Amino acid sequence: MREKASLRGLWATGETGIAPPGEAGSDTRMVMEEPRTRIQRKNRETILEAALEVFSQHGFRGATLDMIAGAAGLSKPNLLYYFPSKEAIHVTLLSQLMDTWLDPLRELDAGGDPMQELRGYVRRKLELSRDFPRESRLFANEIVQGAPRMQEGLETDLKALVDEKAEVIRGWIAEGRIADVDPHHLIFSIWALTQHYADFDVQVRAVLGPSRDPLAEAEQFLDTLFTRLLAP
Amino acid sequence: MREKASLRGLWATGETGIAPPGEAGSDTRMVMEEPRTRIQRKNRETILEAALEVFSQHGFRGATLDMIAGAAGLSKPNLLYYFPSKEAIHVTLLSQLMDTWLDPLRELDAGGDPMQELRGYVRRKLELSRDFPRESRLFANEIVQGAPRMQEGLETDLKALVDEKAEVIRGWIAEGRIADVDPHHLIFSIWALTQHYADFDVQVRAVLGPSRDPLAEAEQFLDTLFTRLLAP
DNA sequence: TTGCTTTTTGACCAAACGGTCAAGACCACG
DNA sequence: CGTGGTCTTGACCGTTTGGTCAAAAAGCAA
């Protein structure tokens, strides 16, 4: 299950990093298909990977183009050949992230066994925290600071999906198959508890000391917690 | 219970914002008692209040001295008359915060009724999220970015207190007065769940829509959650 | 090879930033 | 009132930052 590196492979290529110049005259197509050359694909990947590292550690303003360029092994002007601005890199990262972040919730199946479905969701979400902590922190940074570049996505895509799944959960409760809890807050609690282990990693480790394995313990603890909370 | 404004009144005046110059010759006392004049007390307060607003919204690097000065209604050089640097303001804020943040846990009483004590802790922690969200976000910003200015405090003060209280909880479990859960992760779960409502406020509100009251609902939800988790 | 496009970079720029300083305004007290 | 300390600020400084540009290098198809 464990998987190193980033989610890049799974993502559609971003729409924000407007492709390089040099096509005004000769080509009249309206839609520009994604990164054309082998080099472009590779370098955009490299830049986004480096930017994820730097943005997740320092936040948007704390990150500098020089840091990203350094991490990517490219020159600063070269970054700006592939992305029109620092902000474009950041937005690309965020919009790709949004999709990935919601996938585990999308998998929640109204037809499955309620208890198993919800425990599965918790497990998948915790796996994201374990395997993609940088993505989690990138997201956390953005939200804590008021989500200046995401608010719309939250109020449309995210709300729609959550409302839909909340309705599913409400159905399970009505059928008496899980205990009666507010579905929205149930989902929040899953987010809060799982993401905590990625976002507040330093705190968790500082308190537990070096010899314990936070994520492994969390898996058990959270399974117990939600089992007791939801048992009918 | 609700209380506007900040925690300032409760705090000891910080030790980090080395007092203004102008005392080399005439006064030989070793210890300098805190802000001497009425004006100094007032302006240091004003600056810290403004800095809390700005730092919690933009993070350390995202905040500028001009923003803080603007929010405080003072000139930039005037800020630097009261604090030696931007970092000193930030550190003062953080060190004051640490104490306040741990107070609710300190109140956990080994002699009290376990269930009532733990539910009380959750309630107090949630009150902090409701009344002092900026403080919560200041803390979150710092931890998410690796706690560059707090790590020591986490590994000493915080760890010591948590370990102590974890032992208390372990005792309660041994006596069969609450269910068997890992005490450390129980505490983490309280932090995660309560702080989520302050730190991820925009997300919570975006999902719930404008007509619901997140914090009021959370109080009930969390009470239910921990009751079910801990019932022996 | 030639010739054209894509990619890379050193030099450069204007704005923003944290911080300094000397001079002036203000204030309290004899 | 005046005098000495406290407080305030406009002007300024060196550095960092996001971003530009023209020209060189590399890639590639014929």
Side-chain angles (χ1 to χ4, degrees):
Chain A
M1 252 306 156
R2 201 168 227 129
E3 199 180 315
K4 196 68 187 106
S6 82
L7 298 166
R8 208 72 55 228
L10 308 173
W11 292 342
T13 38
E15 316 84 34
T16 354
I18 293 140
E23 65 174 44
S26 53
D27 196 353
T28 33
R29 274 169 300 179
M30 293 284 115
V31 186
M32 54 177 79
E33 70 289 39
E34 294 310 328
R36 278 149 289 220
T37 77
R38 173 184 44 93
I39 295 178
Q40 275 187 35
R41 239 189 315 277
K42 191 195 62 176
N43 281 349
R44 283 182 58 105
E45 295 276 316
T46 307
I47 292 169
L48 288 172
E49 157 66 27
L52 172 62
E53 183 71 30
V54 175
F55 279 136
S56 68
Q57 202 165 104
H58 302 279
F60 179 73
R61 285 229 27 192
T64 73
L65 285 176
D66 285 303
M67 291 166 101
I68 299 172
L74 298 172
S75 69
K76 186 172 62 171
N78 208 1
L79 290 201
L80 294 161
Y81 173 73
Y82 291 101
F83 292 89
S85 68
K86 177 185 174 184
E87 179 152 0
I89 303 178
H90 193 238
V91 172
T92 301
L93 235 28
L94 285 179
S95 71
Q96 291 177 343
L97 182 55
M98 183 67 122
D99 271 350
T100 315
W101 225 234
L102 292 183
D103 274 341
L105 183 53
R106 284 203 193 88
E107 289 178 38
L108 197 80
D109 177 15
D113 173 65
M115 206 64 185
Q116 224 167 328
E117 286 297 321
L118 287 167
R119 285 165 62 190
Y121 176 43
V122 172
R123 206 200 59 246
R124 287 193 297 276
K125 206 73 180 57
L126 196 59
E127 271 163 16
L128 283 193
S129 281
R130 187 223 287 145
D131 299 333
F132 307 104
R134 297 177 306 176
E135 282 82 351
S136 187
R137 281 193 278 266
L138 181 72
F139 193 82
N141 261 307
E142 181 66 8
I143 303 288
V144 168
Q145 305 195 1
R149 295 164 235 270
M150 280 194 101
Q151 210 153 13
E152 201 188 304
L154 298 181
E155 285 162 359
T156 58
D157 302 354
L158 178 65
K159 179 169 168 41
L161 179 62
V162 172
D163 283 345
E164 176 201 326
K165 297 302 185 182
E167 217 40 61
V168 170
I169 295 171
R170 214 183 303 282
W172 289 338
I173 293 171
E175 296 168 9
R177 301 172 72 188
I178 55 170
D180 184 16
V181 293
D182 183 288
H184 284 97
H185 288 274
L186 172 61
I187 293 173
F188 293 156
S189 72
I190 295 173
W191 293 348
L193 288 166
T194 55
Q195 289 172 203
H196 188 80
Y197 288 93
D199 302 343
F200 288 70
D201 181 70
V202 286
Q203 194 188 42
V204 168
R205 286 180 194 280
V207 169
L208 285 184
S211 61
R212 294 175 66 173
D213 179 351
L215 268 298
E217 297 175 14
E219 192 174 342
Q220 242 207 296
F221 175 82
L222 294 184
D223 198 67
T224 304
L225 187 152
F226 284 104
T227 302
R228 293 200 187 147
L229 171 63
L230 296 173
Chain B
M1 253 306 156
R2 203 169 224 126
E3 198 181 316
K4 195 72 187 102
S6 83
L7 297 167
R8 209 72 55 229
L10 309 172
W11 292 342
T13 37
E15 317 82 34
T16 355
I18 293 140
E23 65 173 43
S26 53
D27 196 352
T28 35
R29 273 170 299 179
M30 292 285 113
V31 186
M32 53 176 81
E33 70 290 37
E34 293 312 327
R36 279 149 289 221
T37 78
R38 172 184 44 94
I39 295 178
Q40 274 187 36
R41 240 189 314 277
K42 192 195 60 176
N43 280 349
R44 283 182 57 106
E45 295 275 316
T46 307
I47 291 169
L48 288 173
E49 156 68 27
L52 172 61
E53 183 72 29
V54 176
F55 280 136
S56 68
Q57 202 166 105
H58 302 280
F60 179 73
R61 286 228 27 194
T64 72
L65 286 176
D66 284 301
M67 292 166 101
I68 299 172
L74 298 172
S75 68
K76 185 171 63 172
N78 208 0
L79 291 200
L80 294 162
Y81 173 73
Y82 291 101
F83 291 89
S85 68
K86 178 185 173 184
E87 179 153 0
I89 303 178
H90 192 238
V91 172
T92 302
L93 236 29
L94 285 179
S95 71
Q96 291 177 344
L97 181 55
M98 184 66 124
D99 271 350
T100 315
W101 225 235
L102 292 184
D103 274 341
L105 183 53
R106 285 203 192 87
E107 289 178 38
L108 197 81
D109 178 15
D113 173 65
M115 207 65 185
Q116 223 167 327
E117 286 297 320
L118 287 167
R119 285 165 61 189
Y121 177 42
V122 172
R123 208 200 56 246
R124 287 193 296 276
K125 205 74 181 56
L126 195 60
E127 271 163 15
L128 283 193
S129 281
R130 187 224 288 146
D131 299 333
F132 306 104
R134 298 177 305 175
E135 281 82 351
S136 188
R137 280 193 279 267
L138 180 71
F139 194 82
N141 260 308
E142 181 68 8
I143 301 289
V144 169
Q145 304 195 2
R149 293 164 238 271
M150 279 194 100
Q151 211 153 14
E152 200 189 304
L154 297 182
E155 285 162 359
T156 57
D157 303 354
L158 178 65
K159 178 167 169 41
L161 179 63
V162 172
D163 282 346
E164 176 201 326
K165 297 302 183 180
E167 216 41 60
V168 170
I169 295 171
R170 214 183 303 281
W172 288 339
I173 293 171
E175 295 167 10
R177 301 172 71 186
I178 57 171
D180 184 15
V181 292
D182 182 290
H184 283 98
H185 288 273
L186 172 60
I187 292 172
F188 293 156
S189 72
I190 294 173
W191 293 348
L193 288 166
T194 55
Q195 292 175 14
H196 188 81
Y197 288 94
D199 302 342
F200 288 69
D201 181 69
V202 286
Q203 195 188 43
V204 167
R205 287 181 194 280
V207 169
L208 285 184
S211 61
R212 294 175 65 172
D213 180 352
L215 268 297
E217 298 175 14
E219 193 174 342
Q220 241 205 299
F221 175 82
L222 294 185
D223 198 66
T224 303
L225 187 152
F226 284 104
T227 302
R228 293 199 187 148
L229 172 62
L230 296 173

